[in-house]
Amino acid sequence: MSLIQLTIKGISYSQTQSGAYALVLSEIGGKRTLPIIIGAFEAQSIAIALEKEIRPPRPLTHDLFKTFADRFVIKIKQVIIHKLVDGVFFSSLVCERDGVEETIDTRTSDAIALAVRFQAPIYTYENILDKAGIYLKMEEELEFEDELEEDEYEIDLEESLEEKGGFSNLSIKELHEQLDEAVANENYELAAKIRDEISKRS
């Protein structure tokens, strides 16, 4: 299976899941994105690593790992998101020391936090992007009426789903429509939930 390289598009706060964030990875050279739900600590760790000017007074866990690896000349060559089971992504760190390569199982959020620090590329497989990726539409297709505020739209969309009894009462066609609307509004956390519901039925 061919590997697809990803880059970090952004991190957004979850509107529906307290204390959670949506890490959005974007396909390099393509239009698909991969939203992954992560915890607050991991989101903070990734955000700090992306902001080169921010340095915490004491090293975070991922900073400590980086220092440890550097001290013992261990290099992270790449991160591979290799499996998706029931909405949970599984990843591996491909490491190298003295010319010997080792693959280590890891949580995806930790893998991304380390990839940023080691400037290591992030990959996933084509079949995972086919199953879990969300297509970004052209900019002109994402335009909404001027009077409709983005936050209001996100709340309305989520409330309308709750009124309908969640995703279970929606048809596949309706789910795809809701998915398009969530992506258009860049509500990737909601889009990820809808995508998972579609995947369960396919």
Side-chain angles (χ1 to χ4, degrees):
M1 289 182 287
S2 60
L3 287 170
I4 307 293
Q5 189 169 356
L6 305 169
T7 187
I8 298 174
K9 179 178 176 63
I11 302 172
S12 63
Y13 184 72
S14 169
Q15 300 292 326
T16 59
Q17 192 172 340
S18 178
Y21 290 77
L23 168 66
V24 183
L25 303 176
S26 179
E27 174 186 20
I28 292 180
K31 296 180 180 179
R32 288 174 292 185
T33 61
L34 200 63
I36 301 173
I37 306 304
I38 62 175
F41 172 77
E42 291 79 9
Q44 179 189 55
S45 181
I46 293 169
I48 287 175
L50 290 171
E51 288 289 339
K52 303 298 182 184
E53 297 180 2
I54 299 177
R55 285 189 171 274
R58 301 292 294 162
L60 301 176
T61 303
H62 299 110
D63 297 322
L64 176 61
F65 186 98
K66 174 70 163 59
T67 302
F68 177 89
D70 288 344
R71 186 68 56 88
F72 291 95
V73 198
I74 300 169
K75 178 183 177 182
I76 292 181
K77 296 179 63 178
Q78 60 186 18
V79 164
I80 301 177
I81 303 171
H82 62 84
K83 188 166 64 172
L84 173 62
V85 179
D86 296 330
V88 178
F89 293 90
F90 293 76
S91 297
S92 297
L93 295 175
V94 180
C95 308
E96 184 181 65
R97 181 171 185 264
D98 295 334
V100 179
E101 196 172 281
E102 295 284 349
T103 300
I104 301 173
D105 182 48
T106 176
R107 295 189 309 168
T108 299
S109 55
D110 289 329
I112 303 301
L114 292 173
V116 175
R117 287 165 170 80
F118 282 87
Q119 298 182 336
I122 304 164
Y123 296 98
T124 193
Y125 289 107
E126 180 71 37
N127 65 326
I128 292 179
L129 262 182
D130 284 340
K131 182 178 180 182
I134 295 173
Y135 280 91
L136 286 178
K137 295 191 171 184
M138 298 301 291
E139 203 169 292
E140 59 268 18
E141 294 177 338
L142 302 184
E143 292 179 355
F144 289 89
E145 296 177 2
D146 293 337
E147 66 272 13
L148 187 61
E149 293 292 333
E150 182 174 327
D151 289 343
E152 291 177 358
Y153 180 79
E154 288 182 3
I155 293 170
D156 289 345
L157 178 56
E158 288 161 13
E159 285 179 350
S160 68
L161 287 174
E162 288 177 5
E163 289 170 3
K164 291 180 181 179
F167 305 124
S168 58
N169 293 333
L170 298 180
S171 67
I172 287 292
K173 181 181 178 181
E174 289 173 324
L175 284 171
H176 280 288
E177 289 173 355
Q178 298 286 8
L179 177 61
D180 289 341
E181 291 177 6
V183 171
N185 199 45
E186 296 187 358
N187 188 351
Y188 295 110
E189 191 265 341
L190 179 61
K193 291 185 176 182
I194 299 171
R195 174 207 67 202
D196 292 342
E197 178 65 25
I198 293 172
S199 296
K200 286 179 185 176
R201 300 191 194 183
S202 54

